[in-house]
Amino acid sequence: MRADHPGPTAPTLSPEAVPVWRDPETKSLFHAMPAGAKTLPLTIDGLQLGLPLPEGAAEIVRLIDGKRSLDKIRRQLPDRPDKAAFKARFEGLWGPLNGFSKLFVKR
């Protein structure tokens, strides 16, 4: 990446953004994650990784269906976090999952 051409920017995670899984297999993997999981095991090219997960990650991933917006997901969580708390929690999940091309957003 060149200093005079920073490259693409990350998508803005607005409350209206709709998270979508890469494919049905990815959705199944994450929906099977046990409540309270601290890491998520992933195997990429034979390398086993344990992605750190934010508190409440399992509850968030189970609500990702490609139809609900981030704000709707936030409002459906059992603890109904405020917008700032949810944003921090979701960004902790979004970073690694988007970085490994497991989760995307649509407008």
Side-chain angles (χ1 to χ4, degrees), residues 15-31:
E16 297 80 30
V18 176
V20 294
W21 296 110
R22 179 180 72 184
D23 53 38
E25 292 79 21
T26 301
K27 178 181 177 181
S28 294
L29 171 71
F30 284 91
H31 280 215

Side-chain angles (χ1 to χ4, degrees), residues 63-79:
L63 291 171
I64 296 173
D65 62 2
K67 298 174 187 167
R68 292 182 183 105
S69 69
L70 289 174
D71 193 54
K72 190 169 200 173
I73 290 170
R74 178 188 67 81
R75 290 183 280 121
Q76 290 181 335
L77 288 170
D79 62 342

Side-chain angles (χ1 to χ4, degrees), residues 18-22 94 97-98 100-106:
V18 176
V20 294
W21 296 110
R22 179 180 72 184
W94 166 256
L97 295 182
N98 180 256
F100 285 108
S101 298
K102 302 293 184 187
L103 188 64
F104 304 96
V105 293
K106 66 181 181 179

Side-chain angles (χ1 to χ4, degrees), residues 32-93:
M33 182 173 53
K38 301 285 184 203
T39 61
L40 180 75
L42 279 181
T43 303
I44 300 173
D45 292 333
L47 177 64
Q48 292 194 359
L49 305 169
L51 293 180
L53 297 170
E55 183 179 333
E59 291 79 11
I60 293 172
V61 300
R62 287 190 188 103
L63 291 171
I64 296 173
D65 62 2
K67 298 174 187 167
R68 292 182 183 105
S69 69
L70 289 174
D71 193 54
K72 190 169 200 173
I73 290 170
R74 178 188 67 81
R75 290 183 280 121
Q76 290 181 335
L77 288 170
D79 62 342
R80 293 190 50 112
D82 64 30
K83 290 179 183 183
F86 177 76
K87 184 175 190 281
R89 195 182 303 175
F90 186 78
E91 285 178 349
L93 186 62

